[in-house]
Amino acid sequence: MSESPELQTPPMPATGKTSHGVPGWLVALLAVASGMTVANLYYAQPLLSSLRDAFHVSTAGAGWLITLTQVGYVVGMLLLVPLGDRLEKRRLITVLLAVTTLTLVTAGLATNFAVLLTASLISGATSVVAQILVPFAASLAPDHARGRIVGRVMSGLLTGILLSRTLSSLVSDLAGWRVVYLGSAALMAVLALALRAALPQHAPTTTMPYAQVLRSTVQLVRTHPELLRRGLYQAAMFGSFSAFWTTISYVLTGPRFHYSEVGVGIFALVGAAGAAVAPFAGHWADRKLARPMTGAALTVAAVAFALAGFGQHSIVLIGLAAILIDTAVQTTLILGQHAIYQLDPDARARLNSAFVATFFLGGAAGSQLGSLTYDAGGWTAVTLLGGTPPLLALLYWASERRAGPQNGQAD
């Protein structure tokens, strides 16, 4: 049986709260923490060319670094995030960040590629802290403002994803790729202390044994068709997103553009413009526009890959495609999370676990298929690969029933 969560927050002055009753500093902290932790999954993307040369592996072999990191994230989503409903969240977050710190140190000191892969797998699993913080924010927010609060926290998370590439490129160029991992380890240690001191205690929402919590996560997928549908939409989008960003560094550093790692990092900044859509997506969700805006986002993603393919000799067109892809992916992510959080307020961590695990499987597949496709057929083949999942998802979207009472949205 589920129990109502008990949130123990320290008293806040009235000036510290926004119009929706959530302390502004806490929303900001959750946004920054989410961005910092999820960035660990993406630091390696613009470094693949350097890591390939440093460890003497193939292009496809280097791609396994991104794939295994995302696989680790899926494992963490399935086995660790459901603990957010079972354990006190602040303590769980602190432990996970401590483990992340140790694995990032190991990655930074790795002397062979196997050690780096193993450390990346484990740090990927423990970096799911971001996906414990997002439902935490949803629990704080009143119903009428939940989309906006989640959107603001997610804007921090998505900014972390996008800026991680730029940061890792700049740091690697100045001090080497090892400092990227060691620097992130230091940030995780500081973040663990900050969250431990600042977060309110949040009691478990269930007393079920751990094994039963895991079983109930699977049961939620069966009970709520909207959860599976939203997961599949996002799997398609995230697979395309991962294929693009895993291979673009090869394009930019190749004979066509001759970019340095810093150049790749600066290019990654264009995608950060897509993070600006997150609050708008939350607003659309609150206005019950999830279905039409999902269809629009899927369409934009497919068009973006066509643009990237036809404009492969133009950095302006590829940059525009990057902005459109990131904007579309972020839109469907916010809309999807808003929809699933309404399905069962006492199981938000488990709902988020199933949702994110589903679409990160798509991301892992996209990363590896993108590397293999680029190795075999170049950038044109990657754009064809990346444009296909959004189109398939759009066909699936067309089968969605309008204004169904079970999906918590209306048109």
Side-chain angles (χ1 to χ4, degrees):
M1 294 295 290
S2 296
E3 301 170 354
S4 297
E6 298 174 5
L7 189 61
Q8 301 170 10
T9 17
M12 292 289 150
T15 55
K17 294 196 175 186
T18 63
S19 59
H20 42 65
V22 182
W25 67 267
L26 184 55
V27 176
L29 175 61
L30 292 172
V32 171
S34 296
M36 287 175 62
T37 53
V38 81
N40 293 323
L41 306 178
Y42 301 95
Y43 285 135
Q45 281 187 343
L47 307 180
L48 289 182
S49 295
S50 296
L51 293 171
R52 176 189 59 189
D53 297 339
F55 290 102
H56 307 291
V57 295
S58 66
T59 296
W64 275 107
L65 186 63
I66 307 301
T67 301
L68 286 183
T69 303
Q70 292 178 335
V71 168
Y73 202 68
V74 172
V75 172
M77 289 303 306
L78 293 174
L79 300 181
L80 299 177
V81 171
L83 289 172
D85 289 334
R86 180 67 181 81
L87 302 177
E88 197 278 309
K89 290 182 176 61
R90 187 174 64 178
R91 184 180 299 112
L92 175 62
I93 288 167
T94 303
V95 171
L96 291 178
L97 287 175
V99 177
T100 304
T101 300
L102 293 175
T103 56
L104 287 171
V105 169
T106 302
L109 300 177
T111 56
N112 62 71
F113 198 58
V115 171
L116 182 60
L117 286 175
T118 303
S120 297
L121 177 68
I122 298 172
S123 67
T126 55
S127 291
V128 293
V129 164
Q131 298 302 336
I132 297 173
L133 294 173
V134 174
F136 184 95
S139 298
L140 289 174
D143 291 343
H144 70 276
R146 183 163 295 118
R148 277 170 284 170
I149 295 298
V150 170
R152 288 169 188 172
V153 174
M154 286 299 298
S155 67
L157 184 150
L158 298 168
T159 300
I161 292 175
L162 299 169
L163 294 184
S164 61
R165 307 185 193 101
T166 302
L167 180 62
S168 67
S169 296
L170 294 174
V171 172
S172 177
D173 186 70
L174 291 172
W177 65 267
R178 294 183 185 278
V179 178
V180 175
Y181 288 100
L182 296 174
S184 181
L187 289 176
M188 292 302 101
V190 171
L191 185 60
L193 296 175
L195 291 176
R196 178 71 180 178
L199 284 183
Q201 290 187 341
H202 197 295
T205 58
T206 181
T207 56
M208 289 189 296
Y210 177 61
Q212 190 174 344
V213 169
L214 296 182
R215 286 195 297 270
S216 71
T217 303
V218 177
Q219 186 60 39
L220 286 170
V221 178
R222 298 173 182 169
T223 304
H224 302 291
E226 179 69 2
L227 175 58
L228 178 60
R229 177 178 287 274
R230 283 287 165 182
L232 292 176
Y233 288 159
Q234 200 60 27
M237 294 290 275
F238 201 59
S240 296
F241 172 93
S242 296
F244 181 92
W245 285 107
T246 299
T247 56
I248 193 65
S249 64
Y250 299 132
V251 176
L252 297 179
T253 58
R256 191 173 300 155
F257 296 108
H258 300 285
Y259 275 33
S260 65
E261 285 185 353
V262 173
V264 175
I266 293 173
F267 175 84
L269 283 175
V270 303
V277 78
F280 293 100
H283 182 65
W284 296 330
D286 287 336
R287 294 187 60 194
K288 303 187 184 301
L289 296 173
R291 185 177 189 278
M293 296 311 297
T294 297
L298 294 170
T299 302
V300 167
V303 170
F305 273 96
L307 186 65
F310 288 118
Q312 61 182 292
H313 298 287
S314 168
I315 193 62
V316 173
L317 292 180
I318 294 178
L320 179 58
I323 293 173
L324 293 176
I325 291 167
D326 286 4
T327 298
V329 170
Q330 292 163 24
T331 297
T332 55
L333 178 57
I334 300 296
L335 297 175
Q337 287 189 306
H338 182 270
I340 67 166
Y341 289 156
Q342 297 183 76
L343 299 176
D344 187 346
D346 288 339
R348 286 191 175 122
R350 283 167 285 163
L351 289 166
N352 202 50
S353 170
F355 174 64
V356 179
T358 300
F359 78 71
F360 257 85
L361 283 173
S367 294
Q368 192 58 28
L369 288 174
S371 295
L372 293 171
T373 301
Y374 183 81
D375 212 22
W379 181 244
T380 298
V382 171
T383 58
L384 289 173
L385 171 72
T388 300
L391 289 175
L392 294 176
L394 192 61
L395 292 175
Y396 184 40
W397 170 86
S399 71
E400 183 177 324
R401 291 190 300 172
R402 294 177 180 271
Q406 66 185 12
N407 64 14
Q409 59 192 31
D411 295 293

